Amino acid sequence: MKKDNIVKILFVLVGIAVIVAVSIYIGSLNTTKLEEEQFYQYFGGRKVEYTGTLEISRKTNGITSLKTNDIYIDLDSTPIYYKTEENKLLFPQDMAIVYPENQGQMQKITHFSTIQLEEEIPYLQYENNKQSIENSFLFDGNDLYIFLEPTTIVVGENSYELSPLSYAYVSYRQIVEIYEKASDTYEIIEYTSRECNC
């Protein structure tokens, strides 16, 4: 009888240890720590800079949060740009790569992936995997378009020349927000849906 109780207790303890180990492993897949780096993002035209250690976590409800200097910030799909590494950015949310020349074929980019331009060719990197993603752009499934090559967009009568890694938010019948990477400038344009050829 005692032997059966000991076996049951050991079985329960092993089960708890397995659950804890799996939880820690899944948590590590949804958290990335970036130490001693400098980053920036734009929110509604305002540049926000981060310095030091960043911890970015994706929660079970799909919200990604950033912790820096004991401050927590909920993130949307706006890319995080490396300030000290030229032409490199990180995605806090899942994105889609769209290949317009290949019948609009799409491929998923997992959150915490990075893109870096090397000799004007965009490379996607996630963990130890690296691949070139030429002739494509990125889309968050809502309003954000990230351009990996020089691109021209037209809003009303105005054309905007965008360098690689620039992006545009297009809110239906409201505004277009454009971040131009090479000049590090942000512009907010009010428009009606008939005016935008984005």
Side-chain angles (χ1 to χ4, degrees):
M1 196 67 132
K2 284 185 179 181
K3 192 174 185 180
D4 287 344
N5 287 339
I6 291 171
V7 169
K8 288 178 185 176
I9 290 170
L10 285 174
F11 183 72
V12 169
L13 291 174
V14 168
I16 290 171
V18 167
I19 291 170
V20 168
V22 168
S23 297
I24 290 170
Y25 176 72
I26 290 172
S28 71
L29 292 178
N30 286 318
T31 300
T32 188
K33 199 168 194 175
L34 306 164
E35 297 192 24
E36 300 309 316
E37 293 273 7
Q38 294 181 8
F39 305 89
Y40 68 91
Q41 283 181 298
Y42 275 90
F43 294 103
R46 185 172 153 256
K47 188 174 188 177
V48 178
E49 298 188 19
Y50 312 112
T51 302
T53 300
L54 299 187
E55 186 172 292
I56 305 172
S57 302
R58 185 165 171 88
K59 301 172 188 171
T60 53
N61 60 6
I63 295 174
T64 301
S65 68
L66 179 145
K67 178 187 173 191
T68 178
N69 301 324
D70 295 324
I71 297 170
Y72 288 87
I73 302 165
D74 286 340
L75 300 174
D76 58 14
S77 55
T78 305
I80 300 171
Y81 290 87
Y82 286 72
K83 193 172 179 183
T84 52
E85 292 186 58
E86 190 174 350
N87 294 322
K88 184 176 181 181
L89 55 83
L90 177 139
F91 297 103
Q93 301 279 1
D94 295 342
M95 298 285 288
I97 306 173
V98 181
Y99 296 93
E101 294 178 0
N102 194 10
Q103 300 174 339
Q105 179 185 359
M106 297 174 77
Q107 178 183 348
K108 181 180 174 181
I109 294 181
T110 306
H111 54 278
F112 308 150
S113 298
T114 62
I115 288 187
Q116 185 164 17
L117 292 181
E118 297 178 13
E119 297 179 4
E120 300 183 10
I121 298 173
Y123 286 91
L124 169 68
Q125 184 158 358
Y126 182 73
E127 294 179 344
N128 295 322
N129 301 318
K130 183 177 178 180
Q131 71 179 73
S132 68
I133 50 171
E134 296 176 87
N135 303 315
S136 65
F137 65 90
L138 306 178
F139 179 53
D140 73 346
N142 293 311
D143 304 319
L144 175 65
Y145 301 84
I146 301 173
F147 306 107
L148 305 177
E149 298 171 42
T151 303
T152 301
I153 63 172
V154 178
V155 181
E157 297 178 0
N158 298 316
S159 295
Y160 298 87
E161 303 290 329
L162 303 182
S163 61
L165 303 186
S166 298
Y167 65 79
Y169 272 109
V170 182
S171 299
Y172 182 65
R173 292 182 183 262
Q174 294 177 24
I175 58 171
V176 176
E177 299 181 37
I178 299 172
Y179 172 60
E180 209 295 308
K181 171 73 170 71
S183 62
D184 191 25
T185 56
Y186 202 98
E187 189 166 352
I188 300 175
I189 307 146
E190 293 186 16
Y191 79 103
T192 63
S193 61
R194 291 172 297 178
E195 294 176 336
C196 184
N197 297 316
C198 302

